[in-house]
Amino acid sequence: MRVTNSARIIAGTALLALGLAACGGESSTDGGTAAAGQPVRMELGEPQKLFYPGDTTESEGAEVLGAVFAPLVRYDENKQVVNDVAESIKSTDNKVWTIELKPGYTWQDSAGTALTAQNYVDAWNYSANQDNVQGANGFFSRIEGWADLNPGEGKTVSTKEMKGLKVVDDTTFKVTLTEPFSQFKTMLGYTAFYPLPKAAFGDDGKVTEAYAKQPIGQGYFKMDAPYNKGTSQTIDLTRYDKFPGEKPKFDKLQFKLYTSAETAFNDLRAGNLDIHDSLPPSAVASAKAELGERYIDQADAGVGYIGFPLQYNKIYSDIRIREAISMAIDRKTIADTVFSGTRAPADDFINPLLDGYRQGACAVCTYDPAKAKAQYAEAGGPKTLELGYNSDGPHKEWIEAVANNLRANLDVQVSVKPFEKFASILDELDDKTYGGMFRMGWAIDYPSAENYLTPVFSTIAIKTGSNYAGWSNKEFDGLLAKGDAAKTQKDGLQFYQQADDLLIKEMPYVPVYFYRINAAFSQHVKGVKINLLNQVEWTKVEKVA
């Protein structure tokens, strides 16, 4: 799963009434010309964790790993699954799957060690083991034997392997699921399903910290040096020329870490940055006129939310309070004014780009301040609320707009709490130490309605996913299971939509808007394209002399 770091938005002074400055931050000074050896430079927020594929569940770390690793499958412009490292992925019953690898893939070590089926089995067993505390553990829960690796808190894991994973030969392995799941192949483009080389593991069988700082992959680029979280300002990579598929057209890639989207945009304008995929509020309105064809505005499959920590803060436990908060938010004005029309008001938990979306499904997503105020008072809603967000993405304006809506329409005091880094608010939510409402976003891992549901709202995702609300509903979990067991993705939609209806009934999160991608690139590059997973297609990018 990938919770998103940035909302890529535009300021709207009419709604905000805050007198916000037009553009903040200072530009870096590493030169605005494209020297011959200059890398392609992309803006990035600080990743939440080191680069363990099974523990990278947010957008910033996933962007780096997407450059270092190649997935089993990718997704085309029609959101269809196409094989990548996989030569074939076959099943006759949606329960037993045979995966065969293409020849020629090698690890980015000095020996160019061949990629094998065992590398996938080792990686998946490691990520699925509760003792290894990997954030994407739940994605393996459908594999037979996962329960043996997850007996529960305080219980001992008695095996290190899922019986549903079997190596057939060097290039083939079989995966047996506990129940049929028609979308298993669709999942396999996600970060958690990357392989791991033998060099990743220490003598204790754990993935080493040294590896997580400088992972050896089998993708487009290899990392030049270890990444030291908290001190590294860049992540530098070099094209891996033994990569057997289509290669990037440039030699060097650099991720530059920023805590300010405004500073990053200033750097792009000055020629010190080449790709910025989360334009700040001050940029969007003028970016198209200023940058012309170097401005990107395209549909996005993400959803922006306000979440409630229901598991450990009972002030939000009454559904009437959560509904009132939802009805008090003026989504259309936020979309039209704050975002200058680059968002759409959310009216479902499923994005319109994916099959399963239903226009107007969420009735309490309709702005109704009078009803919101009356219902909030009737439910005895708290007189003070707090709303947290990460300030390393451009969220201040829309979060302040939501806060103003709640103040005006619910007659409450609302304090807004900025967290300097996205990683910080995620860590506090993981640790259950932040009790306020929180800004959250979801960028899909794979193109399926199910991906908006299971990783974010299922019971299993409380401990092994991104269920930061801690919401649990047995009926919801049962409907997901029925959708999973359907013969085709289309057949499963009716059950996923019923599960979606339960979300709308319970509102553990409040969907606020559907994303659009607002990005830009410098005059030093061309061909920049951002895919369905919100990652740059590196084989399309070219440097301009």
Side-chain angles (χ1 to χ4, degrees):
M1 73 295 299
R2 283 194 306 285
V3 286
T4 63
N5 174 38
S6 53
R8 300 179 287 268
I9 60 175
I10 173 79
T13 55
L15 176 63
L16 301 178
L18 296 174
L20 298 172
C23 186
E26 297 179 357
S27 177
S28 66
T29 57
D30 59 350
T33 59
Q38 183 72 52
V40 171
R41 301 154 298 178
M42 180 178 173
E43 164 269 341
L44 200 72
E46 182 182 80
Q48 182 190 12
K49 302 176 181 179
L50 297 178
F51 300 119
Y52 301 89
D55 203 26
T56 298
T57 60
E58 44 74 42
S59 56
E60 311 306 275
E63 186 81 58
V64 176
L65 287 178
V68 175
F69 286 83
L72 285 167
V73 301
R74 296 187 186 271
Y75 312 103
D76 65 19
E77 293 184 353
N78 296 316
K79 301 181 285 292
Q80 299 301 305
V81 181
V82 292
N83 290 335
D84 194 21
V85 175
E87 181 70 53
S88 65
I89 302 174
K90 297 178 179 179
S91 178
T92 58
D93 59 3
N94 290 335
K95 184 176 181 181
V96 179
W97 297 80
T98 301
I99 302 174
E100 184 179 355
L101 307 178
K102 292 176 181 175
Y105 284 87
T106 59
W107 291 105
Q108 301 156 354
D109 54 23
S110 58
T113 305
L115 174 70
T116 67
Q118 188 68 52
N119 298 142
Y120 286 90
V121 171
D122 290 345
W124 295 9
N125 278 325
Y126 182 82
S127 296
N129 190 321
Q130 71 175 28
D131 289 347
N132 298 325
V133 197
Q134 300 291 282
N137 174 301
F139 277 84
F140 302 94
S141 62
R142 295 180 175 90
I143 299 176
E144 188 176 358
W146 177 87
D148 298 330
L149 293 180
N150 294 271
E153 188 174 352
K155 296 182 180 180
T156 302
V157 178
S158 59
T159 180
K160 294 185 180 299
E161 299 177 350
M162 291 182 282
K163 56 188 175 183
L165 294 180
K166 299 293 183 185
V167 173
V168 176
D169 55 40
D170 281 350
T171 59
T172 310
F173 64 107
K174 283 192 174 183
V175 185
T176 301
L177 309 180
T178 53
E179 300 290 342
F181 181 45
S182 64
Q183 297 167 80
F184 180 69
K185 179 178 179 178
T186 305
M187 294 177 67
L188 297 180
Y190 178 48
T191 308
F193 296 100
Y194 292 159
L196 287 171
K198 292 189 181 299
F201 299 93
D203 293 339
D204 60 356
K206 303 281 189 179
V207 174
T208 67
E209 183 177 289
Y211 176 83
K213 287 183 174 182
Q214 188 178 7
I216 299 168
Q218 31 66 289
Y220 298 137
F221 296 96
K222 58 182 179 181
M223 286 181 60
D224 294 344
Y227 164 66
N228 295 299
K229 181 175 168 59
T231 59
S232 293
Q233 299 300 307
T234 65
I235 301 170
D236 297 285
L237 305 95
T238 299
R239 184 178 62 199
Y240 183 53
D241 285 333
K242 292 182 180 178
F243 183 76
E246 182 183 1
K247 299 177 182 63
K249 300 175 180 67
F250 57 96
D251 298 329
K252 295 281 188 178
L253 172 63
Q254 181 183 79
F255 293 105
K256 298 181 68 174
L257 305 187
Y258 290 86
T259 58
S260 165
E262 285 81 6
T263 298
F265 184 61
N266 287 342
D267 275 1
L268 185 137
R269 297 171 75 185
N272 298 325
L273 182 70
D274 297 313
I275 301 172
H276 191 343
D277 70 344
S278 52
L279 292 183
S282 56
V284 174
S286 61
K288 186 173 183 179
E290 180 179 348
L291 302 176
E293 293 183 354
R294 295 191 284 113
Y295 169 65
I296 298 173
D297 178 19
Q298 67 184 52
D300 185 299
V303 184
Y305 310 103
I306 298 296
F308 305 96
L310 300 178
Q311 189 177 35
Y312 56 94
N313 191 339
K314 302 305 180 184
I315 70 169
Y316 308 108
S317 60
D318 191 326
I319 177 57
R320 294 175 298 169
I321 291 173
R322 304 196 297 275
E323 287 181 341
I325 289 172
S326 179
M327 290 186 290
I329 298 173
D330 187 354
R331 291 166 176 79
K332 188 176 189 307
T333 299
I334 290 174
D336 292 346
T337 304
V338 181
F339 290 112
S340 289
T342 62
R343 297 292 181 274
D347 55 0
D348 197 356
F349 281 86
I350 299 171
N351 185 287
L353 282 184
L354 274 291
D355 292 339
Y357 164 75
R358 294 161 297 167
Q359 185 175 7
C362 176
V364 294
C365 293
T366 300
Y367 185 49
D368 192 338
K371 184 176 180 181
K373 186 173 185 177
Q375 183 167 309
Y376 194 82
E378 180 184 333
K383 291 298 184 181
T384 61
L385 296 170
E386 184 171 272
L387 179 54
Y389 73 98
N390 56 296
S391 59
D392 60 344
H395 302 295
K396 180 178 180 179
E397 287 78 9
W398 80 268
I399 289 295
E400 290 284 6
V402 169
N404 282 344
N405 282 161
L406 301 183
R407 293 177 186 122
N409 298 327
L410 301 181
D411 193 21
V412 297
Q413 295 181 354
V414 182
S415 59
V416 173
K417 181 177 180 179
F419 289 76
E420 182 182 9
K421 299 175 181 179
F422 188 44
S424 301
I425 191 169
L426 291 180
D427 288 342
E428 289 203 22
L429 290 169
D430 278 334
D431 296 339
K432 299 177 176 59
T433 56
Y434 181 64
M437 298 182 292
F438 51 90
R439 170 265 155 193
M440 191 56 62
W442 186 253
I444 63 169
D445 307 309
Y446 47 88
S448 166
E450 178 270 338
N451 189 234
Y452 293 99
L453 308 175
T454 305
V456 194
F457 300 110
S458 67
T459 300
I460 195 173
I462 295 174
K463 289 187 176 181
T464 62
S466 292
N467 188 344
Y468 294 107
W471 179 75
S472 177
N473 184 295
K474 290 183 178 179
E475 184 181 359
F476 178 83
D477 294 337
L479 288 167
L480 293 181
K482 290 181 179 180
D484 292 352
K487 289 185 178 180
T488 66
Q489 188 165 323
K490 184 177 180 180
D491 292 340
L493 274 182
Q494 61 177 312
F495 300 108
Y496 296 139
Q497 288 175 329
Q498 291 173 38
D500 183 30
D501 288 336
L502 277 178
L503 280 182
I504 294 167
K505 180 180 178 181
E506 294 288 330
M507 297 296 282
Y509 281 8
V510 169
V512 178
Y513 59 81
F514 297 128
Y515 279 81
R516 287 190 69 82
I517 292 174
N518 301 116
F521 53 96
S522 78
Q523 67 271 32
H524 302 316
V525 296
K526 64 180 183 179
V528 177
K529 181 180 179 182
I530 299 173
N531 64 24
L532 186 68
L533 302 186
N534 289 353
Q535 296 178 5
V536 175
E537 294 279 3
W538 294 116
T539 57
K540 308 297 184 185
V541 177
E542 297 182 54
K543 292 182 67 174
V544 178

